[in-house]
Amino acid sequence: MLVQPYLMFDGRCEEAIEFYRRAVGAETTMLMRFKDSPEPAPPGMVPPGSENKVMHAAMKIGDSTVMATDGGCQQKAAFEGFSLTLTVPNEAEADRRFNALAEGGQVRMPLAKTFFSPRFGMLQDKFGVGWMVIVAH
């Protein structure tokens, strides 16, 4: 069994993919635009002019796959009730990745030593996605 996050950026998917490429080394392994779908979207699902938006994308981040879409392209993405956790091997990597993800976003808990990790912090990136960065023991 496998659980993978599927993030719906509601019109900002391509921007998010590029951001994650820079911030966490995400590698796009698949990207399909609405105009390239073998079947047309149901009427009213994709607003006119959104043909070039991302219907489906997959990004490899370390050993994980995160999938994404522009969804309905309404600019109303809401990422609530969850966070993605990025586990890194050392404090320098935690600092680098945390700072990159926090660019344009909001730090919820600055990186610091905790009882469970030499470095842990929480943030919301500029797209509203929650992240926890932790150094593995």
Side-chain angles (χ1 to χ4, degrees):
M1 187 179 307
L2 179 65
V3 175
Q4 296 175 305
Y6 200 109
L7 305 177
M8 299 181 187
F9 290 98
D10 216 17
R12 297 180 69 195
C13 189
E14 202 157 4
E15 179 186 354
I17 289 169
E18 177 58 24
F19 177 77
Y20 297 134
R21 185 190 64 75
R22 290 189 321 270
V24 294
E27 175 191 341
T28 304
T29 58
M30 193 277 187
L31 190 143
M32 178 183 281
R33 299 182 188 285
F34 285 107
K35 70 179 182 181
D36 298 325
S37 174
E39 294 181 11
M45 185 176 168
V46 181
S50 298
E51 298 79 17
N52 286 318
K53 293 292 185 176
V54 177
M55 182 178 90
H56 174 75
M59 299 174 279
K60 193 87 167 151
I61 300 174
D63 294 329
S64 301
T65 298
V66 175
M67 295 179 284
T69 183
D70 272 314
C73 306
Q74 301 296 313
Q75 301 291 323
K76 296 177 184 177
F79 300 101
E80 298 177 14
F82 75 94
S83 291
L84 300 178
T85 302
L86 186 66
T87 303
V88 297
N90 57 57
E91 294 177 40
E93 185 75 0
D95 290 343
R96 186 165 74 88
R97 299 302 186 180
F98 187 90
N99 291 333
L101 285 166
E103 183 181 311
Q106 183 177 5
V107 173
R108 300 274 189 217
M109 178 182 170
L111 278 173
K113 182 177 176 15
T114 66
F115 70 91
F116 55 86
S117 175
R119 207 83 160 144
F120 174 79
M122 299 186 301
L123 64 98
Q124 185 177 39
D125 72 24
K126 69 181 187 175
F127 301 98
V129 176
W131 289 85
M132 295 186 286
V133 177
I134 187 169
V135 173
H137 264 303

